[in-house]
Amino acid sequence: MAKLKRKTIYYLGLILVAVIWGVNFGISRLAMEVFPAEIFVLFRFGLAVPILFLILKIKEGNIRVDKEDLIKLALIGLFGITILEIVVMYSIKFTTLANASLLNVAPWPIFVALFAPLFTRERMTLRLAIGGMIAFVGVTFIILGGDDGFTLNSDYMIGNLLAFSISILGALFNLSYMPLMQKYSPLRVTTWYILFGSIFMIPFTLTKWDAVQWASINGVTLAVIVYNVVICSVVAFIVWNLSMQKVGATKSNFFRYFVPASATISGVFLFNEMISPIQIAGGIIIVFGLAWITRDDKNGHNNEKALNKRVV
């Protein structure tokens, strides 16, 4: 029980980040008519880079990483920021939002659990499996309970495959930097892979600048950019990676199921969208599943001693 209480702050951190990212689905819509998606993503991460390096310098005294780790961080940034964000954009373009949400969000934590032994000594426990499946049912209710239900229409096959690939790529991305967080702080790792991800994004924006609606930029647009840069990138990534370091990648990623829940709620306030009884039930089920996950059991307690250690 004492161990659970000590970790409560990190569980709350995971929930906070999931809410931030979920709300951003609605907030970002307000800027997408002004900026092409590639430009907007570059703004989100590129403008976060100097802020992250400033925080790193102030907090830790220097910004250095060993030369042998630069290639690792560059690859993590390339696949986890640049490629992942591009695939997200095109998955939404070629399939429905419901399809993209379900195939992207729902399998992600499951793939983290499957791939975790390749990067850490985390192991799936019975409690984690049961809680994860309960939360999976809840997130499915939320997504399918909306106006646009899941469809297997062949017209959306490419988008469906892209959305499903996001969950695999995203899981590998989250796990790939876990070993580096045994050597460096989550802040240092986050700062460097976002730097590389932003640099690799630049070529994809070169033909997009003419499409920016400069005359349409207003206070709301600037507020959306600030929210994406400061809250969604700087604050959220630091809190998520710190919490994931303390809790473990497998358990942490099931908290992603709060993202569609918070996105649905934000739609009510931002766009007057309706929440169905099925979606409300889904939110309750998610809370129950994640509450079950966070409870310690004997196997989970022993397993947590080995969290975040590199495989020898």
Side-chain angles (χ1 to χ4, degrees):
M1 183 61 69
K3 192 177 187 67
L4 178 59
K5 288 181 178 179
R6 289 197 300 271
K7 288 189 175 180
T8 297
I9 186 65
Y10 301 114
Y11 291 129
L12 292 176
L14 294 169
I15 293 172
L16 173 64
V17 174
V19 170
I20 288 172
W21 286 339
V23 170
N24 194 45
F25 277 100
I27 289 178
S28 293
R29 287 191 207 175
L30 302 176
M32 294 309 291
E33 293 184 1
V34 178
F35 301 104
E38 294 88 347
I39 299 290
F40 188 69
V41 171
L42 179 61
F43 279 166
R44 173 184 171 181
F45 292 104
L47 294 177
V49 169
I51 300 174
L52 286 166
F53 273 104
L54 178 61
I55 295 173
L56 178 61
K57 176 65 176 178
I58 293 174
K59 188 174 186 300
E60 301 187 17
N62 66 77
I63 62 173
R64 295 189 302 272
V65 293
D66 294 339
K67 291 181 179 180
E68 63 267 22
D69 294 323
L70 287 175
I71 294 179
K72 298 176 185 177
L73 289 162
L75 289 173
I76 291 169
L78 172 63
F79 286 96
I81 300 295
T82 310
I83 294 178
L84 185 62
E85 291 295 332
I86 290 174
V87 175
V88 168
M89 290 186 295
Y90 280 96
S91 69
I92 296 173
K93 180 178 180 179
F94 290 114
T95 190
T96 66
L97 186 58
N99 283 22
S101 299
L102 184 60
L103 294 171
N104 171 351
V105 175
W108 186 317
I110 297 173
F111 283 119
V112 170
L114 292 174
F115 297 145
L118 300 176
F119 298 88
T120 73
R121 289 184 176 176
E122 297 181 46
R123 294 293 182 269
M124 177 66 74
T125 65
L126 180 60
R127 178 176 294 278
L128 186 57
I130 293 174
M133 289 307 299
I134 293 172
F136 181 93
V137 171
V139 77
T140 302
F141 278 18
I142 288 176
I143 294 170
L144 299 187
D147 293 334
D148 299 321
F150 184 81
T151 176
L152 294 176
N153 190 315
S154 60
D155 293 340
Y156 301 128
M157 186 57 65
I158 293 177
N160 291 344
L161 291 174
L162 288 174
F164 187 71
S165 70
I166 292 169
S167 60
I168 300 175
L169 183 60
L172 291 172
F173 163 58
N174 281 153
L175 289 165
S176 64
Y177 55 81
M178 291 295 288
L180 284 172
M181 289 201 298
Q182 297 306 306
K183 183 176 182 179
Y184 306 108
S185 68
L187 172 60
R188 193 174 297 257
V189 173
T190 302
T191 299
W192 278 94
Y193 75 61
I194 287 183
L195 167 65
F196 285 115
S198 302
I199 292 173
F200 291 132
M201 182 65 72
I202 293 175
F204 295 96
T205 67
L206 296 180
T207 61
K208 304 293 183 178
W209 290 96
D210 289 341
V212 176
Q213 304 296 315
W214 297 106
S216 299
I217 296 176
N218 53 30
V220 173
T221 309
L222 295 176
V224 171
I225 293 175
V226 170
Y227 180 84
N228 270 266
V229 172
V230 178
I231 306 300
C232 290
S233 296
V234 176
V235 174
F237 271 76
I238 292 174
V239 173
W240 181 270
N241 289 336
L242 175 61
S243 300
M244 191 167 63
Q245 182 192 46
K246 300 296 184 180
V247 174
T250 302
K251 187 177 293 186
S252 296
N253 273 277
F254 279 107
F255 282 80
R256 286 185 179 275
Y257 288 162
F258 274 118
V259 172
S262 59
T264 300
I265 295 173
S266 69
V268 175
F269 294 98
L270 295 174
F271 304 103
N272 295 317
E273 297 176 353
M274 299 297 295
I275 297 180
S276 69
I278 293 178
Q279 291 176 308
I280 295 175
I284 295 172
I285 292 172
I286 289 175
V287 171
F288 180 79
L290 295 179
W292 180 263
I293 285 175
T294 58
R295 292 184 59 188
D296 287 335
D297 60 4
K298 183 176 181 180
N299 291 333
H301 175 75
N302 293 333
N303 196 41
E304 284 172 356
K305 293 179 180 179
L307 287 179
N308 303 319
K309 294 181 180 178
R310 296 190 67 173
V311 176
V312 177

